[in-house]
Amino acid sequence: MDNIHKKIKNLRLEREMTLKDLSDSTGLSVSFLSQIERGTSSLAITSLKKISDAFQINITYFFNDIENHNYVVRKEEMKDFKLEGSDKVYIRLAGKFPERKMEPIMVTIPAKAPYVERYSHPGEEFYYVIEGSVVFRIEGQEYLLTPGDSIHFPSEQMHEWKNPTNQEAVLLSVLTPVIF
């Protein structure tokens, strides 16, 4: 329970919300929310539910066992997933512990995958090509990467990627902020 106030503040900052924004979403006063984030006020479960609803997360997020650090992710525990509307396959590589700042992911891009979406968001992105080839377009400039190449850039820059070859591409990716 001691870290709930930190989790609330971190979520608010990650989502680029002001205390006023959170107040408007929850009906709780700005001064009360400020006290909560500083850990100087206790928090009723009903208020925590309003906050979790404002962040569109399950209230159980705040009760995860903080002391149960899981630094290692074994190969057999890794599960691949796809984002809706995407043909890329992702495997989350991160351990679990409070206030994690990086999101390491293995990404597989199918052969002949075209540019699909352009992205721009807060944070940084790093990619290392393990297999195949990938073209990154960042602010209109194209970069062809082959095995052993890497690229690192601020995510605020408009970016997209494609695999123009007949072979799937596999990349190690490290992103900030944490997204999964």
Side-chain angles (χ1 to χ4, degrees):
M1 291 284 288
D2 294 337
N3 287 318
I4 289 176
H5 67 282
K6 291 178 186 174
K7 286 184 172 188
I8 292 170
K9 184 173 185 176
N10 288 342
L11 280 170
R12 182 179 62 79
L13 294 175
E14 285 173 10
R15 293 166 189 223
E16 299 180 354
M17 293 175 75
T18 64
L19 282 170
K20 174 81 170 91
D21 294 334
L22 187 55
S23 173
D24 291 344
S25 297
T26 61
L28 303 170
S29 74
V30 171
S31 61
F32 177 66
L33 290 169
S34 176
Q35 290 172 3
I36 299 271
E37 286 189 357
R38 291 191 319 267
T40 60
S41 179
S42 60
L43 181 62
I45 196 74
T46 53
S47 297
L48 186 58
K49 175 68 172 126
K50 290 178 182 180
I51 292 169
S52 66
D53 288 347
F55 290 134
Q56 297 179 338
I57 61 170
N58 193 304
I59 195 169
T60 59
Y61 167 83
F62 296 104
F63 299 105
N64 290 342
D65 186 4
I66 301 298
E67 300 306 315
N68 187 12
H69 302 298
N70 185 7
Y71 300 133
V72 176
V73 181
R74 303 280 178 207
K75 183 176 181 175
E76 60 273 7
E77 297 169 342
M78 295 178 187
K79 306 270 189 277
D80 62 0
F81 63 95
K82 287 185 176 184
L83 300 177
E84 189 174 329
S86 175
D87 57 354
K88 296 166 191 71
V89 177
Y90 300 89
I91 299 174
R92 186 172 171 266
L93 304 174
K96 294 179 184 174
F97 57 91
E99 300 180 34
R100 188 168 55 87
K101 305 275 189 278
M102 298 185 314
E103 188 72 74
I105 302 172
M106 189 74 62
V107 183
T108 302
I109 306 171
K112 296 292 188 183
Y115 290 127
V116 176
E117 283 188 55
R118 295 175 52 173
Y119 303 97
S120 175
H121 51 87
E124 294 180 48
E125 298 187 31
F126 170 85
Y127 296 90
Y128 175 83
V129 179
I130 297 170
E131 296 176 19
S133 300
V134 179
V135 176
F136 281 84
R137 185 169 13 198
I138 303 169
E139 293 292 328
Q141 172 105 23
E142 289 191 344
Y143 304 90
L144 172 63
L145 280 73
T146 57
D149 293 340
S150 65
I151 190 166
H152 182 199
F153 57 92
S155 303
E156 289 88 0
Q157 294 187 1
M158 193 59 69
H159 57 282
E160 56 190 334
W161 54 359
K162 70 177 180 179
N163 177 358
T165 70
N166 291 324
Q167 174 189 355
E168 75 178 12
V170 179
L171 294 83
L172 172 63
S173 170
V174 181
L175 313 170
T176 65
V178 172
I179 56 176
F180 299 111

